[in-house]
Amino acid sequence: MAGLVTEWVNVTGDISIIARESGEVWFHTGSGTKDHVDPFATPMTGVSAAGSTVGLLDGAINLGFAVIEKRLARPDLTLAGYIVALVGAYHTSVDTPRNLRRAASRFNELARPEVAAYLEERAREETGHDRLALKDLRALGVPGERLVANFIPEGIKPLCKRFDDLCVEDYPIGCIGYSYCLERIAALKQETDIEKVQALCPDGVDATRFLRSHSSLGSEATHVEETIEFVASLPANDRIRVVQETYESALILAEGYNHELLKSEAEMLEELEQALGEALPYRHTSYPLHGEKRRARPVA
Ligand SMILES: [Fe+2]
Ligand SMILES: [Fe+2]
């Protein structure tokens, strides 16, 4: 019987992720192996398999989120929080096609047409996603263009900067790790998550276009599958770099999201209304953005 493929990547000073084709994943620390040669101390050079590649990628996300596990904010969903999330969604989408095309043209220069083709395809698929977030804001009666022009949530800024920086590197393979991290997390969202948001929205208003498309119901699930397949097709050095960047992006994303989620609704409203220069709609209607009752309306 042919041996199962094993892949490994060192992601931090002393932690490596080890993944087998069968789906098993370990976090390995190199310490305490003085008497033995640590087989995972040298970078992997071998072949890949989809099963081990996904283990490395998802292991990197889990490890990144483990850093904030004890501080993880779990706020009630509010309309103000959702509006901030839509602004964040706009900013993490608006430059994606341009950035991916920039990285693609670098890979063409590097005589790596297969990577360039993959990134160009992704750029096409991601085009217009910023418009979905703007449409959702508009559906909620919020002047989206003005809001996004005046406001980038603090926790989202480092994420946008990371992607900008990755796409202009001399060897911009890390941008695939960043994209995987964001898309994998989006693809965890289920129909019930969308229904909860829908329950917050005014009757007859659909403000879940972005969310739906970036969930298990939309294109994200396919994007994740395609990325795993593509990463598994790359040489070992590239796979290592992609997994390392998936981990770095997960760290930045976890800290950033948590920073936003830890804000009180009053702080969020303050930021939103300052950026808009006016009160948000629904202030004095049945959608209790202000006042004592700030919890989400129960579903139906
Ligand atoms: Fe997207
Ligand atoms: Fe996507």
Side-chain angles (χ1 to χ4, degrees):
M1 187 184 94
L4 284 175
V5 170
T6 302
E7 296 187 69
W8 65 93
V9 174
N10 177 261
V11 284
T12 70
D14 64 345
I15 303 180
S16 297
I17 308 169
I18 306 169
R20 299 189 86 195
E21 189 179 354
S22 54
E24 296 153 284
V25 179
W26 297 267
F27 298 115
H28 171 79
T29 45
S31 56
T33 53
K34 266 188 186 162
D35 299 337
H36 306 282
V37 177
D38 179 358
F40 304 108
T42 47
M44 65 175 179
T45 53
V47 295
S48 63
S52 44
T53 300
V54 70
L56 291 179
L57 291 166
D58 288 353
I61 294 175
N62 288 334
L63 206 55
F65 269 81
V67 173
I68 63 146
E69 207 175 355
K70 292 199 178 81
R71 298 178 279 128
L72 193 63
R74 298 182 195 278
D76 289 328
L77 183 66
T78 63
L79 202 43
Y82 184 59
I83 291 171
V84 172
L86 283 173
V87 175
Y90 169 85
H91 286 294
T92 53
S93 309
V94 65
D95 293 328
T96 301
R98 184 202 65 190
N99 278 340
L100 289 173
R101 286 198 180 98
R102 191 176 287 168
S105 80
R106 181 66 189 139
F107 277 108
N108 272 326
E109 285 168 15
L110 292 164
R112 295 286 302 277
E114 82 289 4
V115 183
Y118 165 80
L119 293 172
E120 276 158 14
E121 172 72 19
R122 306 315 313 275
R124 271 192 295 279
E125 287 168 354
E126 294 300 326
T127 299
H129 286 189
D130 54 321
R131 310 296 309 169
L132 296 177
L134 287 177
K135 276 185 186 168
D136 288 337
L137 287 167
R138 221 174 292 135
L140 288 167
V142 177
E145 272 91 354
R146 179 151 36 106
L147 183 57
V148 299
N150 294 334
F151 179 45
I152 304 184
E154 208 52 48
I156 297 299
K157 283 181 191 169
L159 208 52
C160 296
K161 182 176 181 330
R162 185 74 180 184
F163 193 48
D164 289 349
D165 291 348
L166 285 168
C167 290
V168 296
E169 283 184 351
D170 284 343
Y171 192 74
I173 199 83
C175 71
I176 298 174
Y178 170 99
S179 299
Y180 181 82
C181 179
L182 263 69
E183 295 193 316
R184 181 72 180 94
I185 288 167
L188 293 173
K189 298 205 176 85
Q190 303 296 314
E191 192 158 12
T192 50
D193 297 305
I194 297 164
E195 285 167 0
K196 280 180 199 157
V197 170
Q198 199 65 59
L200 280 178
C201 295
D203 289 339
V205 166
D206 177 17
T208 60
R209 294 169 184 85
F210 186 94
L211 183 60
R212 197 171 299 130
S213 118
H214 295 80
S215 75
S216 61
L217 306 181
S219 49
E220 287 308 54
T222 322
H223 293 175
V224 165
E225 292 299 316
E226 288 168 355
T227 299
I228 293 164
E229 204 178 307
F230 182 71
V231 173
S233 78
L234 290 169
N237 276 348
D238 287 346
R239 300 198 309 273
I240 290 171
R241 183 69 194 96
V242 169
V243 171
Q244 287 170 335
E245 185 49 46
T246 303
Y247 171 72
E248 294 298 331
S249 294
L251 281 178
I252 296 170
L253 189 144
E255 288 291 353
Y257 277 18
N258 219 35
H259 176 85
E260 291 304 320
L261 292 171
L262 284 167
K263 286 179 183 165
S264 69
E265 191 184 15
E267 284 174 282
M268 291 186 204
L269 280 169
E270 172 85 33
E271 284 187 324
L272 289 168
E273 296 190 345
Q274 217 159 53
L276 278 174
E278 64 182 72
L280 283 167
Y282 316 123
R283 266 183 92 137
H284 302 295
T285 72
S286 54
Y287 308 101
L289 286 173
H290 285 265
E292 297 98 306
K293 216 173 144 266
R294 286 179 173 169
R295 296 286 159 96
R297 287 192 305 163
V299 182

